[in-house]
Amino acid sequence: IAKMVAEGGNAMAADVLLSVSLAEYDRNGDTMLVWSYPSIDSDFDSHILKRAKLLMEQKQTRLVWTRVQNSWCYMLPVVVSTKDAAVRHLRAYTVCVQAKGFEPERFGGLAGALGAAYKAKGTPLALLQAWLSVFTTGRVEGFVDSGLEAE
């Protein structure tokens, strides 16, 4: 990311955004943290997994935020319906955006756009593409934030 920013990417995003993670709750009742970028430490991993499991088992669909270590974690669980072809093997999934600041509306909107990208394709690669788009341009389909837009 630092290299991308140095080569003309979005310095604002690199200063504020820390990571994105994906937890899945499958049809067998198993919850796993299946992907994160960049990698996160095991304490943060454990916290996200516990919180995501609780949210998904309760079928929550609202943004939840929590302070972990010296950052904020914005978690948006999504309940999957049988109409969601790319992710129909899941009961639910949660996208977690880790950021330095407390701005629930801003980072909740980003989590929603990242979650929509995952729902459409059903692969973490779609999440990565959307995340990198935010770093390079400050926008991704369904989300434009003037505080993250490249100048």
Side-chain angles (χ1 to χ4, degrees):
I1 293 172
K3 180 181 178 188
M4 183 176 21
V5 169
E7 294 174 354
N10 188 350
M12 175 65 92
D15 288 343
V16 177
L17 297 173
L18 299 173
S19 70
V20 60
S21 303
L22 175 68
E24 295 179 340
Y25 181 49
D26 68 21
R27 299 256 175 224
N28 297 320
D30 297 322
T31 304
M32 295 179 288
L33 188 65
V34 296
W35 181 84
S36 66
Y37 182 82
S39 63
I40 55 177
D41 68 42
S42 60
D43 289 339
F44 193 76
D45 181 340
S46 159
H47 182 81
I48 290 172
L49 189 56
K50 285 181 203 173
R51 192 71 182 252
K53 180 176 178 156
L54 180 63
L55 292 170
M56 291 184 291
E57 285 176 346
Q58 295 176 353
K59 297 183 179 177
Q60 293 287 331
T61 57
R62 62 181 172 77
L63 178 69
V64 175
W65 57 88
T66 183
R67 184 134 172 109
V68 181
Q69 298 162 351
N70 292 320
S71 63
W72 287 93
C73 176
Y74 301 91
M75 303 176 78
L76 186 62
V78 177
V79 175
V80 174
S81 78
T82 54
K83 298 174 192 170
D84 301 322
V87 291
R88 69 173 164 244
H89 62 286
L90 302 174
R91 289 183 185 176
Y93 63 90
T94 297
V95 172
C96 173
V97 173
Q98 181 187 14
K100 291 182 184 177
F102 179 70
E103 297 181 61
E105 290 180 6
R106 180 183 192 188
F107 297 118
L110 177 57
L114 295 171
Y118 179 69
K119 185 184 226 177
K121 304 278 182 167
T123 173
L125 180 58
L127 259 177
L128 178 60
Q129 289 171 331
W131 183 256
L132 293 176
S133 175
V134 170
F135 267 89
T136 57
T137 67
R139 58 180 73 203
V140 66
E141 186 175 334
F143 178 80
V144 175
D145 181 28
S146 59
L148 297 176
E149 278 189 293
E151 297 175 0

